[in-house]
């Protein structure tokens, strides 16, 4: 597991959602392409519902991680792109529900507001970096 930390002063505390810093453990580093709320047919899941889209993004990330033996708790960094500030409460609630981590193991994180994503119906996109422990890592079949 990654070792997250939060300074005792000087910046906002992290907690179960994110850490101010993360020391990466040994393992295979996996950079995951941006995950959006598409199903297998590239249909948008949850049009107009940022919380449902966030949940689908997390599900898609789980699918990618599982191919190489990874789990959500292996995420060390998460970039979250979002279209509207009005969706922030739903995105945060879904994040807390689907991406909660034990204290000291939450990834570092950044939220970036954008004017749009690849499909106008998409409201959020997640770009994680994970470190899969050597004991669990398995190379993807090519």
């Amino acid at each position: 597991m990654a070792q997250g930390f939060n300074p005792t002063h000087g910046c906002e505390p992290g907690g179960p959602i994110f850490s101010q810093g993360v020391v990466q453990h040994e393992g295979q580093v996996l950079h995951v392409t941006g995950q959006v709320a598409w199903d297998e047919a590239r249909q948008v899941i949850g049009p107009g519902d940022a919380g449902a889209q966030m949940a689908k993004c997390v599900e898609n990330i789980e699918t990618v991680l599982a191919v190489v033996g990874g789990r959500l708790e292996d995420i060390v960094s998460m970039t979250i792109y979002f279209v509207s500030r009005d969706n922030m409460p739903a995105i945060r609630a879904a994040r807390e529900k689907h991406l909660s981590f034990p204290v000291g193991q939450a990834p570092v994180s950044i939220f970036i507001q954008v004017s749009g994503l690849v499909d106008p119906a998409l409201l959020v996109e997640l770009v994680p970096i994970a470190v899969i422990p050597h004991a669990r890592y398995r190379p993807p079949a090519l």
Side-chain angles (χ1 to χ4, degrees):
M1 302 294 158
Q3 176 64 50
F5 65 92
N6 295 297
T8 57
H9 65 286
C11 55
E12 179 182 344
I17 300 172
F18 68 93
S19 297
Q20 292 293 327
V22 168
V23 178
Q24 179 176 307
H25 57 82
E26 288 191 31
Q28 289 293 129
V29 177
L30 173 64
H31 295 264
V32 180
T33 195
Q35 295 297 307
V36 296
W38 277 337
D39 64 13
E40 297 80 17
R42 286 186 89 149
Q43 298 300 308
V44 174
I45 301 299
D49 184 342
Q53 288 193 17
M54 182 76 175
K56 180 59 177 167
C57 292
V58 172
E59 179 184 318
N60 290 345
I61 291 167
E62 280 185 296
T63 299
V64 173
L65 289 170
V67 169
V68 293
R71 303 176 186 151
L72 289 175
E73 62 261 24
D74 297 326
I75 296 171
V76 297
S77 178
M78 178 76 74
T79 301
I80 301 171
Y81 297 95
F82 66 98
V83 176
S84 172
R85 289 188 183 279
D86 293 340
N87 292 324
M88 291 299 292
I91 291 169
R92 284 192 173 124
R95 178 185 173 149
E96 288 181 31
K97 180 177 180 181
H98 300 287
L99 282 173
S100 62
F101 297 86
V103 172
Q105 293 179 5
V108 296
S109 178
I110 185 170
F111 280 86
I112 301 173
Q113 185 173 6
V114 295
S115 61
L117 297 169
V118 68
D119 181 315
L122 293 169
L123 304 172
V124 63
E125 181 170 349
L126 307 181
V127 183
I129 298 172
V131 179
I132 315 303
H134 292 299
R136 272 195 277 115
Y137 177 77
R138 58 181 178 271
L142 301 176

